[in-house]
């Protein structure tokens, strides 16, 4: 039974099949998912009791979002070193691909739709390019510095734990930019005159951010706490 005193991060860890439902409401279960549900939901202007009823109903439907459920359940069973390998082989690859696709589409619609949506698209382009740079640098830091240190020091030392905390802070920064983009695009709602490429740009960007949220959740709520427990 999910209660209002639990956090969204706890909910997703126990019931990964709720991710789609939470994404639909644009509720943060990764970077900012450590507040009590009663607080997080009220901040979104939602009725807590109604939300809890719907959330418990979704959590009970184990057949929905099964791929995500199985993915996180199997991830939780891995050793920390295997978690790191999995993150690099899955989310790092997927996110880099989606980031490149999104940037190419965004550049196209910036040019074509500039006469009617120039101000919004210029702001979106600026935010997205900054986010992409941050994520690319973050992935490089994980792959070339922090993850190798975690593998070398299965029982964490102070230096490695401090670097892991830096990664978590960088996650929060990326999450803040994503939230700003969601607000700017009205949660990826294309304008009435949007062409198919415009719509596809928003769909690809939303797909990217959904994967980034799951990626961050796996690190912040599963891999990194598991590693810290080995100290």
């Amino acid at each position: 039974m999910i209660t209002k005193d639990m956090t969204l991060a706890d909910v997703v860890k126990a019931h990964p099949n709720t991710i789609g439902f939470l994404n639909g409401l644009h509720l943060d279960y990764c970077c900012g998912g450590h507040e009590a549900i009663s607080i997080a939901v009220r901040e979104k202007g939602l009725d807590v009791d109604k939300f809890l009823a719907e959330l418990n109903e979704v959590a009970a439907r184990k057949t929905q979002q099964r791929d995500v459920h199985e993915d996180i359940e199997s991830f939780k069973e891995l050793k920390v070193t295997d978690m790191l390998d999995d993150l690099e082989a899955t989310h790092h690859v997927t996110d880099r691909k989606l980031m490149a696709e999104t940037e190419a589409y965004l550049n196209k619609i910036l040019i074509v739709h500039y006469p009617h949506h120039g101000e919004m698209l210029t702001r979106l382009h600026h935010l997205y390019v900054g986010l992409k740079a941050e994520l690319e640098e973050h992935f490089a830091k994980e792959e070339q510095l922090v993850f190798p240190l975690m593998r070398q020091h299965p029982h964490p030392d102070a230096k490695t734990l401090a670097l892991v905390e830096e990664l978590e802070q960088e996650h929060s920064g990326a999450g803040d930019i994503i939230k700003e983009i969601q607000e700017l695009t009205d949660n990826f709602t294309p304008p009435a005159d949007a062409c198919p490429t415009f719509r596809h740009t928003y769909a690809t960007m939303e797909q990217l951010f959904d994967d980034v949220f799951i990626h961050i959740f796996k690190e912040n709520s599963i891999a990194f706490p598991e590693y810290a427990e080995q100290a």
Side-chain angles (χ1 to χ4, degrees):
M1 178 71 174
I2 301 170
T3 68
K4 64 180 181 180
D5 297 320
M6 295 173 66
T7 70
L8 292 177
D10 289 336
V11 171
V12 170
K13 192 170 183 180
H15 306 284
N17 57 314
T18 59
I19 284 177
F21 174 72
L22 296 176
N23 282 344
L25 294 173
H26 304 284
L27 284 164
D28 183 359
Y29 54 83
C30 55
C31 306
H34 300 288
E35 288 185 332
I37 287 174
S38 58
I39 298 173
V41 170
R42 284 198 184 98
E43 288 178 349
K44 279 287 185 179
L46 301 174
D47 180 87
V48 176
D49 292 334
K50 183 175 183 292
F51 171 80
L52 283 172
E54 293 175 353
L55 183 61
N56 275 289
E57 182 181 343
V58 171
R61 295 201 298 263
K62 296 297 184 182
T63 55
Q64 295 199 4
Q65 294 291 332
R66 192 62 184 176
D67 56 340
V68 176
H69 178 83
E70 290 179 349
D71 175 40
I72 292 181
E73 287 298 326
S74 62
F75 186 81
K76 284 157 56 176
E77 299 302 317
L78 298 175
K79 296 186 299 183
V80 171
T81 52
D82 292 334
M83 289 180 184
L84 304 181
D85 293 342
D86 183 79
L87 290 164
E88 290 183 1
T90 58
H91 294 291
H92 283 207
V93 172
T94 297
D95 293 346
R96 282 189 172 109
K97 176 176 177 292
L98 290 172
M99 281 193 294
E101 290 179 5
T102 299
E103 184 174 34
Y105 291 131
L106 187 53
N107 283 329
K108 288 181 180 179
I109 65 172
L110 175 63
I111 295 169
V112 174
H113 291 272
Y114 193 91
H116 296 106
H117 302 286
E119 183 177 352
M120 186 277 290
L121 287 173
T122 298
R123 179 61 181 159
L124 177 59
H125 181 266
H126 178 78
L127 288 170
Y128 179 77
V129 170
L131 173 65
K132 181 173 180 284
E134 285 193 18
L135 289 175
E136 288 170 339
E137 293 160 9
H138 179 83
F139 291 173
K141 182 177 180 178
E142 288 185 335
E143 294 168 1
Q144 301 302 319
L145 176 62
V146 186
F147 286 4
L149 283 173
M150 292 172 71
R151 295 182 180 105
Q152 291 167 19
H153 301 282
H155 298 290
D157 59 1
K159 175 185 175 181
T160 307
L161 282 176
L163 287 169
V164 169
E165 289 179 3
E166 285 182 13
L167 294 180
E168 292 177 335
Q169 292 169 5
E170 290 170 8
H171 289 162
S172 295
D176 289 342
I177 298 174
I178 290 174
K179 290 171 188 174
E180 191 171 351
I181 289 175
Q182 289 174 327
E183 183 176 353
L184 177 66
T185 61
D186 191 20
N187 294 321
F188 309 106
T189 303
D193 61 347
C195 67
T197 301
F198 202 133
R199 296 178 184 279
H200 188 66
T201 302
Y202 273 18
T204 305
M205 190 179 294
E206 187 169 21
Q207 182 184 357
L208 165 64
F209 292 165
D210 284 350
D211 195 78
V212 168
F213 284 143
I214 295 171
H215 179 179
I216 292 174
F217 172 79
K218 284 181 174 179
E219 292 186 358
N220 281 11
S221 297
I222 302 176
F224 294 166
E226 181 71 19
Y227 179 67
E229 286 181 6
Q230 308 306 313

